[in-house]
Amino acid sequence: IQTFVIRTIQTFAQTSSSFIDNIPIGDNASFYLYYNDTDHLGQLIPYANVSISWDPGYYSIIDFGNGTYLIELNTTVGSVGPYSLQVDVGLPPHYDSRTVYVNINIVTILLTIHIEEPTATQIRVEYNTPILLTVNVPDSHGNPISDAIVE
């Protein structure tokens, strides 16, 4: 009697970036995932199962069919701050599964309001922060015009 041990194929996973910095909240962030077969000279492994630790309705994964995967995150679901994303990739039962991490930093969008007259002024405002802006448009006698259109 002969005994055979069937083992899984050794793999390696890496991303195009391990840190994505300064993504304005509401923008998309993307990175590539590469899943390699290390038993066969690093050949890329297509059609693997890929999952990430992000809200399922707010990311997409494109499998290019060659072991390269594009992961795109929509940051409208999160809040400002740093995140560590866990990316799991595998193709059971023949290939080892791997986990890699990508750190992302979502930042506030700062808007600048430039006031031309009566004196040039700039105000910095954080995105998604309510502000009250009162504009008085006077007539030729200095009296406010109600329902004025401000562009």
Side-chain angles (χ1 to χ4, degrees), residues 35-134:
Y35 186 43
N36 302 79
D37 169 350
T38 56
D39 282 350
H40 300 97
L41 303 174
Q43 180 179 356
L44 290 164
I45 305 165
Y47 314 114
N49 301 317
V50 179
S51 64
I52 65 170
S53 59
W54 195 252
D55 190 308
Y58 290 87
Y59 72 88
S60 62
I61 300 171
I62 298 173
D63 181 347
F64 291 103
N66 63 0
T68 302
Y69 306 84
L70 174 63
I71 299 173
E72 188 166 70
L73 308 170
N74 179 320
T75 64
T76 57
V77 69
S79 58
V80 172
Y83 293 86
S84 181
L85 304 175
Q86 180 176 318
V87 182
D88 297 308
V89 59
L91 189 59
H94 304 293
Y95 294 90
D96 280 344
S97 295
R98 292 287 174 228
T99 298
V100 293
Y101 293 89
V102 175
N103 294 306
I104 181 172
N105 188 33
I106 299 175
V107 297
T108 299
I109 300 172
L110 292 176
L111 305 174
T112 300
I113 299 172
H114 185 76
I115 300 170
E116 296 287 330
E117 293 182 18
T119 40
T121 305
Q122 285 190 352
I123 302 169
R124 299 230 3 134
V125 180
E126 287 189 16
Y127 175 78
N128 232 7
T129 301
I131 63 169
L132 174 62
L133 183 62
T134 303

Side-chain angles (χ1 to χ4, degrees), residues 117-118 134-150:
E117 293 182 18
T134 303
V135 178
N136 292 314
V137 181
D139 63 15
S140 60
H141 302 291
N143 298 318
I145 300 172
S146 61
D147 300 325
I149 298 173
V150 179

